[in-house]
Amino acid sequence: MNIQNTPKHSADATTVEEGLAIQEEQAKFDDDFATETAMSNTLLTPRFYTTDFDELDAIDVTPVRKDWDALIAQMESDPNKGHFKKNEDWDHVDWDAMEPKLKAEFIDFLISSCTAEFSGCVLYKEMKRRGSNKDITQLFQLMARDEARHAGFINDALREAGLRVNLGFLTQSKKYTYFRPKFIYYATYLSEKIGYARYITIFRHLEAHPEHRFHPIFKWFEEWCNDEFSHGEAFALLMKTDPKLTESFTNKLWIKFFLTAVYSTMYVRDHQRPAFHKALGVDPDWYAHEVFTKTSVLTGQIFPLMLDIEHPRWQRNLERMQKANVQIAEAKKRGGVSGFFGNVAGSAKAALAFVSLYTIPAIKHQVPESTVLRPAY
Ligand SMILES: [Fe+2]
Ligand SMILES: [Fe+2]
């Protein structure tokens, strides 16, 4: 591979191919632990997706042309080029001195975030490769470019701890889940917007409480989440081209399903990292409520319903689901007959909690004429 003509860092790459090639070159060794963690497929770990690319390619963005062109022009201007790399703001991290539980949870956070970023990268890159619709391939190329930078930057942080997620290996070997395009819209749109809400909430909290910033990567979260915000805007416009996607009765049920699944998964996953949240000075219940509130406001740009997170059943069943998840994890560790029944019982409890969350009446609301939003948090 010729690296001489390519920039030295994935942050400077202008295409996804370039960004990934640099990361492959940089990889002096493969770390089995990080890659195996990224490979795992459970309900709670980030997945890789594939879809019907021809259907996606057939989208006509004419109904949203004006907003579309403005968004693409902004993404093409590439305000974050060169941003996602270490500079003088990158403080020294003493990994050896880090409290072991915090270190384990933080590494898990980084690996899971890197996998999620890369999951977006792989999906977007594939759409760009397979498509022939200029609008669609251009958008997906730009989004893949950003996600490759994000994943590359997290790998920079992991490398200091002696770890690295082998992205090439993941692409080849991780299981891909097929989703119909409309489910890709709901799931990906939501993950972009909730990603924005998560990163900006941590960023603002650490701005007010810098003593809790135990790792420099959090300083990059503002520009980072602005990228995710733009990606979410693009999916909102894609959905806007076909009103059925958000207005039909069945699709509203699907939207409610995805909102409930994404929110509850985030809650359970974050509660698995108590030391990480303690170090940040963040109460995970407060954090979840903040992120859900912001995400609900943002997704109101296109979704005609919001989850009622103030409903008395909401918090109660999130906690039930989290306890059921602890029970499942313990049963799996135990193994044998008792482990098997523990797993079944835990899964049944988690399913019941999910049904209870899903059946909370949603809040209906009027979607605005234009979807366009600016990052305001
Ligand atoms: Fe990203
Ligand atoms: Fe994104």
Side-chain angles (χ1 to χ4, degrees), residues 117 120 124 143 146-147 150 191-192 227-229 231-232:
E117 297 287 357
Y124 301 161
M143 293 198 298
D146 294 346
E147 306 300 16
H150 299 164
S191 86
E192 296 289 359
D227 280 349
E228 313 305 6
F229 194 92
H231 304 168

Side-chain angles (χ1 to χ4, degrees), residues 87-248:
N87 61 15
E88 62 284 356
D89 289 333
W90 187 271
D91 317 294
H92 172 70
V93 187
D94 189 352
W95 283 97
D96 293 331
M98 204 181 280
E99 197 259 311
K101 197 159 175 344
L102 171 61
K103 184 175 169 180
E105 288 182 17
F106 183 49
I107 284 176
D108 183 65
F109 169 82
L110 290 175
I111 294 173
S112 152
S113 305
C114 185
T115 316
E117 297 287 357
F118 195 57
S119 157
C121 177
V122 167
L123 176 73
Y124 301 161
K125 180 169 168 274
E126 193 59 12
M127 181 62 242
K128 177 234 154 191
R129 189 177 75 82
R130 301 241 203 136
S132 56
N133 176 336
K134 187 186 161 275
D135 292 315
I136 300 297
T137 52
Q138 188 180 23
L139 167 70
F140 280 83
Q141 157 69 20
L142 291 167
M143 293 198 298
R145 169 201 73 188
D146 294 346
E147 306 300 16
R149 289 173 182 167
H150 299 164
F153 194 47
I154 300 177
N155 254 338
D156 278 357
L158 279 168
R159 207 172 287 123
E160 289 189 343
L163 298 165
R164 169 192 170 250
V165 179
N166 184 336
L167 300 179
F169 178 74
L170 273 194
T171 315
Q172 304 287 325
S173 316
K174 195 168 156 83
K175 191 174 154 255
Y176 287 74
T177 305
Y178 176 84
F179 262 9
R180 290 170 57 186
K182 76 170 174 185
F183 297 148
I184 291 283
Y185 303 149
Y186 304 146
T188 314
Y189 166 68
L190 255 175
S191 86
E192 296 289 359
K193 286 300 182 191
I194 205 170
Y196 164 79
R198 286 170 66 75
Y199 283 13
I200 199 66
T201 302
I202 289 182
F203 184 82
R204 296 284 175 233
H205 164 77
L206 292 178
E207 240 179 357
H209 304 279
E211 70 278 11
H212 284 295
R213 196 191 289 123
F214 66 88
H215 190 280
I217 200 163
F218 300 113
K219 291 183 189 170
W220 273 256
F221 272 25
E222 190 176 26
E223 284 83 355
W224 199 314
C225 73
N226 287 339
D227 280 349
E228 313 305 6
F229 194 92
S230 303
H231 304 168
E233 289 299 286
F235 279 101
L237 288 175
L238 286 176
M239 285 190 274
K240 189 92 179 167
T241 61
D242 182 2
K244 270 199 315 301
L245 286 170
T246 48
E247 285 169 13
S248 84

